[in-house]
Amino acid sequence: MAESVQNPMAPSGLSRTMAHFWMVLGVIIVAFPIYYVFIASTHSVQTILRPPLPLLPGPEAAANYGEAFSGGVGRIGGVSVWLLLGNTTLIALGIAIGKIVISMASAYAIVFFRFPFRMACFWLIFITLMLPVEVRIQPTYKVMVDLGLIDTYAGLILPLIASATATLLFRQFFMTIPDELLEAARVDGAGPWRFFKDILWPLSLTNVAAIFVIQFIYGWTQYLWPLLVTNSNEMNTIVIALKKMISFADADTPWNLVMVTSVLAILPPILVVVLMQRWFVKGLVETEK
Amino acid sequence: MRRTVFPHKVLPWLLLAPQLAITLIFFYWPAAQAFRQSVLKEDPFGLSSTFVGLANFRKVLSDPNYLNAVQVTVVFSLLVAFSALAIALFLAVQAEKIIRGKGFYRTLMIWPYAVAPAIAGMLWLFMFNPSFGTLAWPLRQLGIDWNPLLDGDDAMALVVAAATWKQISYNFLFFVAGLQAIPKSLLEAAAIDGASRRHAFWTIVFPLLAPTTFFLLVVNTVYALFDTFGIIHAVTGGGPGKSTETLVYKVYNDGFVNLIMGDSAAQSVILMVIVITLTAFQFRFIERRVHYG
């Protein structure tokens, strides 16, 4: 980076110090709610219920987490925390992978083949952006009932894997693949599958990673859809289970276990975003939306 | 336009089939049903229905509860979009000045993006609930009568805070990218002309960021309208006394809890018109910004 000596607009030392000050304040505000629930998860119910909460982790961490994993959460919500995490992981992975598979297939068809109504198909997929679940709740629910998809994993995953966003992104990316590459592959006798497997897939990996992060988060944080299409506690995602734990909150609520469950609901998607940050930021900013 | 393509005629349809099937079954068919039901009235037993034209819409639009939801939605969305944009822009501008540690700040800034809206709401409720919230406690020590479970304005403040908090990450990343794209030579020229940094920000940087800001304004509005359902459902349930009942919460409540079909369908159609308008805006803008190959 060109250093600041010649650049008269470069921030002065003071202005840079102030910038750090504001960023630290911003980060504290942004991270505090997450830190707070983590701290709460390491204290006893008595400490949690007597504000203000200490700002440092307490002595009950092992006890709280141990209890949550050995059936404590099951006693409040009826379902073990393992099943909740399993359900949520399955749904998030199902949605992320499902979206990538069917969007890549659609984009591949639209870019590398010529057939009637090609662009009509593209628009048909694209316009689904304008039809979020919220605007068609009731009739979509009826379709789910008619197809027997209530309280099934298929019902939780399938209707959410159509993706205008991912299809649009893959289409754009495939269009940047030079014609010569396809010509060369065809001269060598490669069919559609060989071309995809040996050439296109390796080139697409960055985009796939970016979409995977965004859609994994999308799947993990689903709320309205699981609320609509599941009745049985066995099908709960961890987010829905947490909401149910809190709505029965009364004097006897084991808040320490609620806090542990919150941490477990927050941690996996945060890890995915932080560890795959490079692809996530690229995917979000460059492709949106 | 691509010159070389594969000659297959059936294969592309097989590749498209899964996505098309899902869109037709779970998107287009229900959307069409919403339109159909919005002009029908079912008898009390749900056995037959008659065409009633725009009666459902007239009924919905003259319902004080619906108008209340419109007002709540407008207030909520404006507050969320404005706060989330302003805070994120301010922080992005600060981040631009920093050379060392940028990556560290960014890593911490993006956490809320990964938190489910419903959980974001619960986190804020933990901190601010009147009985044991650590941050509600100093408010009460100061003599402020804070109770989001009983007071409508307090409840609104709480859901706005949670919704804003969650959206800052997203806006921050876009503003940082937008700021990086502004040519440094423009700022140097301004400095040579003797402009102060503040002046240069409002006359050069802010106007050049307008495309990003406008794009984010649309995205934030869509977010506030639709993606915040979880926050409201988990924290306030629309209450106290309908003071946080937004349009999306109401459509869910009428259709699922109160089971009023015709009304719910008419409300869905109104929402659909809103989304279509916003999405059209968004893509007009993207077409201008992004140059497709």
Side-chain angles (χ1 to χ4, degrees), chain A residues 24 40 110 112 124 181 187:
Chain A
V24 169
I110 289 166
F112 293 102
L124 207 61
L181 212 53
V187 169

Side-chain angles (χ1 to χ4, degrees), chain A residues 73-121:
Chain A
V73 170
R75 276 193 294 280
I76 330 169
V79 190
S80 80
V81 74
W82 296 107
L83 183 62
L84 296 176
L85 285 171
N87 281 346
T88 318
T89 308
L90 183 74
I91 291 163
L93 285 179
I95 289 174
I97 295 170
K99 280 196 190 239
I100 290 171
V101 170
I102 70 169
S103 305
M104 266 189 134
S106 309
Y108 194 61
I110 289 166
V111 175
F112 293 102
F113 296 86
R114 288 289 169 272
F115 53 96
F117 306 112
R118 193 174 63 96
M119 285 319 281
C121 290

Side-chain angles (χ1 to χ4, degrees), chain B residues 163-201:
Chain B
T164 303
W165 174 76
K166 210 193 122 41
Q167 191 63 8
I168 291 175
S169 313
Y170 183 96
N171 295 347
F172 177 78
L173 291 174
F174 275 85
F175 276 131
V176 166
L179 286 169
Q180 277 166 355
I182 292 176
K184 296 290 168 282
S185 56
L186 282 177
L187 294 173
E188 282 160 23
I192 290 166
D193 289 346
S196 72
R197 290 185 59 84
R198 184 179 300 266
H199 187 68
F201 176 80

Side-chain angles (χ1 to χ4, degrees), chain A residues 37 40-45 48 60-77 81 84 238 241-242 245-246 252-265, chain B residues 126:
Chain A
V37 71
S41 76
T42 63
H43 284 282
S44 66
V45 183
I48 294 172
E60 306 291 325
N64 287 345
Y65 283 83
E67 195 188 343
F69 277 110
S70 61
V73 170
R75 276 193 294 280
I76 330 169
V81 74
L84 296 176
I238 193 161
L242 196 58
M245 281 163 96
I246 290 177
D252 298 330
T253 304
W255 283 105
N256 53 341
L257 297 185
V258 170
M259 298 301 169
V260 171
T261 313
S262 307
V263 171
L264 296 175
Chain B
F126 292 154

Side-chain angles (χ1 to χ4, degrees), chain A residues 10-256:
Chain A
S12 63
L14 177 66
S15 142
R16 202 170 286 153
T17 309
M18 279 310 285
H20 276 287
F21 167 77
W22 288 117
M23 283 313 288
V24 169
L25 195 68
V27 162
I28 288 175
I29 292 173
V30 164
F32 186 75
I34 296 168
Y35 181 72
Y36 178 87
V37 71
F38 167 71
I39 293 298
S41 76
T42 63
H43 284 282
S44 66
V45 183
Q46 290 74 24
T47 315
I48 294 172
L49 288 179
R50 208 175 40 235
L53 191 74
L55 281 174
L56 292 172
E60 306 291 325
N64 287 345
Y65 283 83
E67 195 188 343
F69 277 110
S70 61
V73 170
R75 276 193 294 280
I76 330 169
V79 190
S80 80
V81 74
W82 296 107
L83 183 62
L84 296 176
L85 285 171
N87 281 346
T88 318
T89 308
L90 183 74
I91 291 163
L93 285 179
I95 289 174
I97 295 170
K99 280 196 190 239
I100 290 171
V101 170
I102 70 169
S103 305
M104 266 189 134
S106 309
Y108 194 61
I110 289 166
V111 175
F112 293 102
F113 296 86
R114 288 289 169 272
F115 53 96
F117 306 112
R118 193 174 63 96
M119 285 319 281
C121 290
F122 175 72
W123 284 110
L124 207 61
I125 295 167
F126 185 78
I127 290 170
T128 57
L129 261 190
M130 303 186 186
L131 302 171
V133 181
E134 290 83 356
V135 307
R136 52 188 167 81
I137 293 183
Q138 189 63 48
T140 315
Y141 179 76
K142 189 161 181 310
V143 170
M144 300 298 289
V145 175
D146 292 346
L147 294 176
L149 287 172
I150 300 295
D151 275 335
T152 63
Y153 290 109
L156 280 164
I157 295 170
L158 271 187
L160 299 183
I161 66 175
S163 181
T165 322
T167 309
L168 186 72
L169 171 71
F170 281 123
R171 172 175 171 266
Q172 267 171 257
F173 173 67
F174 290 168
M175 288 185 352
T176 66
I177 303 286
D179 255 337
E180 291 72 21
L181 212 53
L182 182 57
E183 272 166 31
R186 291 201 53 197
V187 169
D188 290 344
W193 172 243
R194 272 277 306 283
F195 176 70
F196 176 79
K197 182 170 71 85
D198 294 342
I199 296 173
L200 210 54
W201 172 255
L203 290 173
S204 308
L205 284 179
T206 316
N207 288 304
V208 170
I211 294 188
F212 177 82
V213 185
I214 294 172
Q215 303 302 349
F216 181 86
I217 304 300
Y218 168 84
W220 189 279
T221 59
Q222 280 303 307
Y223 188 79
L224 177 58
W225 190 247
L227 195 66
L228 292 181
V229 302
T230 59
N231 299 316
S232 143
N233 281 341
E234 305 284 310
M235 299 300 294
N236 278 346
T237 64
I238 193 161
V239 181
I240 298 284
L242 196 58
K243 155 71 181 144
K244 288 185 180 171
M245 281 163 96
I246 290 177
S247 53
F248 299 123
D250 54 45
D252 298 330
T253 304
W255 283 105
N256 53 341

Side-chain angles (χ1 to χ4, degrees), chain B residues 9 28 38-39 49 81 88 90 101 109-110 142 174 209 214 220 234 246 273-274 290:
Chain B
K9 290 296 164 215
Y28 287 100
S38 72
V39 293
S49 44
F90 177 77
M109 289 297 295
I110 60 179
L142 290 171
F174 275 85
L209 269 183
F214 179 69
N220 280 252
T246 58
V273 172
I274 298 176
V290 182

